Amino acid sequence: MGILDRMALTGKKAYVTGGAQGLGKAMATALAEAGADVAIVDINEDEAKATAAEIAKNTGRKAIAVKTDVTDPDQVKKMVETVVSELGGLDAAFNNAGMCLNIPAEEMSYEDWLKVVNLNLNSVFLCSQAAGRYMIKQGKGSIVNTASMSAHIVNRPQPQCSYNATKNGVIQLSKSLAIEWAKKGVRVNTISPGYMGTDLTLSSESLKPLIKTWNDWAPLGRLGRPDELQGMAVYLAGDTSSFSTGDDYLVDGAFTAW
């Protein structure tokens, strides 16, 4: 069996939170293209259904939508149960939902701080815990959490202390889980994207001046494309990454290299 055969995800079952659009949609699409059945987990049910239908049509794989508030422990527990029931198992869990508020620290309300912490960090714990409990019972599984290059640097010129802090927390949480579950067959890794040109980013009027600044500073002179994360997603979901756990994979076009 060659490497391409071993990288295929045929028969795998996966979910992606924040999967209705942006990076989550790109990763979910890649997983399905590689042979996996996927659940699009998102708080926006209509967009999740549309994405699931698009993926099913284009790939021929089973794709379902699961409306979930990933900051709610009961909804997260039910989400994993639904994925396992409707897809027939769970082999790969992608905890990707997140948000960023560009507010100066001295002006940030506690409510805004908690919004970011709850979605970016607490939800990653809840989803990893729920998926991990199932995977531990079956003796195998891969959990992939979306961190950011912002876990490694302080972005400029925009202020985003809550985002940076939570993404750093995602990496350390994932490393901790990887150690706890290493001998239980469950791998936990993170992907740390750089500035990515999602539809929302590119269409934002407020971000257009920042995008020019980011591109001027970027070694490659451009934003990344969502599809440039797809190969990493497929690798980490499958068995060819069996020796990868507790690792953080920067995909940032060398932005953090200087």
Side-chain angles (χ1 to χ4, degrees):
M1 182 182 293
I3 184 63
L4 294 181
D5 295 315
R6 287 185 280 122
M7 288 193 71
L9 302 180
T10 306
K12 300 285 188 183
K13 318 296 180 182
Y15 75 69
V16 182
T17 70
Q21 59 184 339
L23 302 185
K25 180 179 180 180
M27 289 189 283
T29 299
L31 299 177
E33 289 176 343
D37 295 329
V38 297
I40 307 302
V41 179
D42 207 285
I43 199 166
N44 189 321
E45 187 173 22
D46 290 340
E47 283 195 14
K49 286 181 176 178
T51 295
E54 179 184 335
I55 289 175
K57 178 181 178 181
N58 292 340
T59 67
R61 305 305 310 173
K62 184 173 184 179
I64 63 172
V66 185
K67 181 181 179 180
T68 308
D69 177 354
V70 291
T71 67
D72 183 314
D74 292 332
Q75 290 192 40
V76 169
K77 180 176 180 292
K78 183 179 178 181
M79 177 271 289
V80 171
E81 291 171 349
T82 299
V83 171
V84 170
S85 174
E86 295 197 20
L87 294 186
L90 178 60
D91 302 290
F94 281 73
N95 302 315
N96 166 76
M99 67 182 298
C100 182
L101 296 179
N102 298 130
I103 303 173
E106 72 274 17
E107 299 174 12
M108 181 177 293
S109 69
Y110 188 53
E111 180 183 15
D112 282 337
W113 170 267
L114 286 180
K115 283 181 184 177
V116 178
V117 172
N118 282 334
L119 185 57
N120 288 11
L121 182 57
N122 292 344
S123 78
V124 172
F125 169 73
L126 292 174
C127 292
S128 295
Q129 181 187 55
R133 284 170 171 165
Y134 176 81
M135 292 174 177
I136 288 169
K137 289 180 181 178
Q138 71 179 6
K140 62 178 181 178
S142 175
I143 296 174
V144 183
N145 297 324
T146 300
S148 172
M149 73 172 182
S150 302
H152 300 269
I153 61 169
V154 175
N155 302 66
R156 59 190 176 113
Q158 73 278 14
Q160 52 182 60
C161 66
S162 56
Y163 184 85
N164 298 350
T166 53
K167 291 303 184 178
N168 188 275
V170 167
I171 290 178
Q172 192 66 0
L173 168 63
S174 302
K175 288 178 179 291
S176 299
L177 297 178
I179 295 300
E180 289 191 33
W181 297 341
K183 294 184 179 179
K184 298 179 180 180
V186 181
R187 298 182 293 109
V188 188
N189 294 287
T190 53
I191 297 177
S192 286
Y195 290 120
M196 305 300 292
T198 64
D199 290 339
L200 282 177
T201 297
L202 295 176
S203 64
S204 172
E205 289 298 322
S206 64
L207 288 181
K208 285 184 179 178
L210 286 176
I211 290 174
K212 182 183 185 306
T213 298
W214 298 338
N215 287 344
D216 287 344
W217 288 336
L220 295 182
R222 65 174 177 87
L223 303 182
R225 301 188 310 270
D227 66 274
E228 290 177 308
L229 291 178
Q230 291 181 316
M232 185 62 68
V234 171
Y235 167 70
L236 290 176
D239 297 334
T240 52
S241 58
S242 57
F243 199 57
S244 295
T245 193
D247 296 319
D248 177 56
Y249 293 86
L250 269 164
V251 186
D252 70 342
F255 198 96
T256 60
W258 61 11

